[in-house]
Amino acid sequence: MHAAAVRSRDYTPVLILAFCLLWSSAFAAAKVALAYCPPLLLLAGRFLLAGTLILGACALLGQLKRIPAREVAALALMGVLNNACYLGLSYVGMTTVSSGFTAVIISANPLLTALAAGPLLGERLTPLKLAGLGLGMAGVALVVRSRIGSGAEDLTGTLFVLAALVTLAAATLLFKLVRTGAPLWMGSGIQSLAGGLALLPVALMTESLDAIQPSLPLAAAFLYLTLGASVAAFSLWFFILSRASATKASALHFLMPPLGLMFGWLLLGESVPPLDLLGIIPIALGIRLVTTGGPVRSGIGR
């Protein structure tokens, strides 16, 4: 009976914590790498290597399976949105804005997801969940207004990160809309490879290979971004999405502001204004309401 209890134990909370730590720390690691390498070349190399590693591991473990071309195309589109567009725009933005500020903006993903999840996925938000989303976004808005108003962040870089937020929300919804028979890791590998292939020609046309400055910090950050973020974090994210509604899963992004600010401060010495800390309070309350405010019903299979 004890063995059965161990087998049935739900490790999802542990996986969620691991995802949040990997995802939020990747912003600071990216900021380190961007000091030595142009953003699109960095991402193209990261995605191509991650996709090759994941699909190679799938082949060794017997997890590669034949799926219809339509599903491959859908996974490739999600890869372009999730990797090439979301992170491409984020990294370009992070060349002029801080990593912690980027994490705060991206944490607004639940609001966009919730607004579209109703008509597209049939998800219904309870009043408590709506209140949680409102509180969370109020906290995000407080931080954004503080940073932009004080001139601490670049407006153009902020617009790039906001565009990245839109593509991330679109990718989240697309994942919930599309059914695929591909194993989780195989799907993640296809998406990474698609993102890398989409970014590579753009990177080669707009950035110079001579701008890359080989160094130990670049190598360490690149490996962390590839193995920790692209391989581990994205696989965990799709696992979480496959087990939760789009709105509830996206609510995890409300954890990113405090974690992103913390990693930016610890690793990069980025300043954390008092209003940033004040903004974390409604964000934390929003997390609790969104994740515990009653069931979210969906007409789409989970």
Side-chain angles (χ1 to χ4, degrees), residues 29 33 112 159 162 260:
L112 295 185
L159 293 175
L162 287 171

Side-chain angles (χ1 to χ4, degrees), residues 32-34 36-37 42 212-223:
V32 171
L34 288 172
Y36 303 93
C37 183
L42 174 67
I212 301 175
Q213 305 172 42
S215 66
L216 184 58
L218 174 59
F222 179 78
L223 287 176

Side-chain angles (χ1 to χ4, degrees), residues 10-74:
D10 184 10
Y11 291 97
T12 302
V14 176
L15 298 179
I16 289 175
L17 176 61
F19 162 77
C20 290
L21 291 173
L22 287 168
W23 188 284
S24 57
S25 62
F27 290 103
K31 193 72 175 178
V32 171
L34 288 172
Y36 303 93
C37 183
L40 301 186
L41 285 172
L42 174 67
L43 284 171
R46 166 186 165 182
F47 295 145
L48 290 173
L49 177 58
T52 300
L53 290 174
I54 293 173
L55 292 178
C58 288
L60 290 175
L61 297 173
Q63 292 189 10
L64 284 180
K65 59 181 291 187
R66 186 182 299 275
I67 60 175
R70 173 184 169 277
E71 294 185 15
V72 175

Side-chain angles (χ1 to χ4, degrees), residues 1-232:
M1 183 175 295
H2 177 70
V6 170
R7 285 195 298 270
S8 63
R9 186 176 299 165
D10 184 10
Y11 291 97
T12 302
V14 176
L15 298 179
I16 289 175
L17 176 61
F19 162 77
C20 290
L21 291 173
L22 287 168
W23 188 284
S24 57
S25 62
F27 290 103
K31 193 72 175 178
V32 171
L34 288 172
Y36 303 93
C37 183
L40 301 186
L41 285 172
L42 174 67
L43 284 171
R46 166 186 165 182
F47 295 145
L48 290 173
L49 177 58
T52 300
L53 290 174
I54 293 173
L55 292 178
C58 288
L60 290 175
L61 297 173
Q63 292 189 10
L64 284 180
K65 59 181 291 187
R66 186 182 299 275
I67 60 175
R70 173 184 169 277
E71 294 185 15
V72 175
L75 287 168
L77 176 58
M78 282 187 277
V80 171
L81 288 172
N82 252 325
N83 296 317
C85 293
Y86 157 54
L87 285 174
L89 291 166
S90 293
Y91 276 36
V92 171
M94 265 198 294
T95 58
T96 57
V97 300
S98 66
S99 66
F101 182 65
T102 302
V104 170
I105 293 179
I106 297 302
S107 73
N109 181 37
L111 178 64
L112 295 185
T113 301
L115 290 176
L120 293 178
L121 304 181
E123 295 186 5
R124 290 191 291 172
L125 290 171
T126 65
L128 282 178
K129 288 179 182 292
L130 284 170
L133 288 169
L135 277 172
M137 286 311 304
V140 171
L142 180 64
V143 174
V144 171
R145 182 174 180 180
S146 166
R147 294 290 189 105
I148 295 293
S150 66
E153 306 291 354
D154 176 65
L155 178 59
T156 300
T158 300
L159 293 175
F160 271 105
V161 178
L162 287 171
L165 167 64
V166 174
T167 62
L168 177 61
T172 301
L173 291 165
L174 182 61
F175 182 89
K176 299 301 294 186
L177 280 168
V178 175
R179 292 178 179 272
T180 173
L184 184 67
W185 254 46
M186 177 181 167
S188 182
I190 292 173
Q191 292 182 65
S192 289
L193 207 56
L197 291 173
L199 272 180
L200 184 60
V202 180
L204 292 175
M205 286 189 295
T206 60
E207 298 175 346
S208 172
L209 292 172
D210 294 334
I212 301 175
Q213 305 172 42
S215 66
L216 184 58
L218 174 59
F222 179 78
L223 287 176
Y224 184 79
L225 290 169
T226 301
L227 301 178
S230 286
V231 176

Side-chain angles (χ1 to χ4, degrees), residues 16-17 20 24 107 250-260 283-284 287:
I16 289 175
L17 176 61
C20 290
S24 57
S107 73
S250 295
L252 293 169
H253 285 267
F254 280 140
L255 290 171
M256 301 312 161
L259 291 174
I283 291 173
I287 295 170

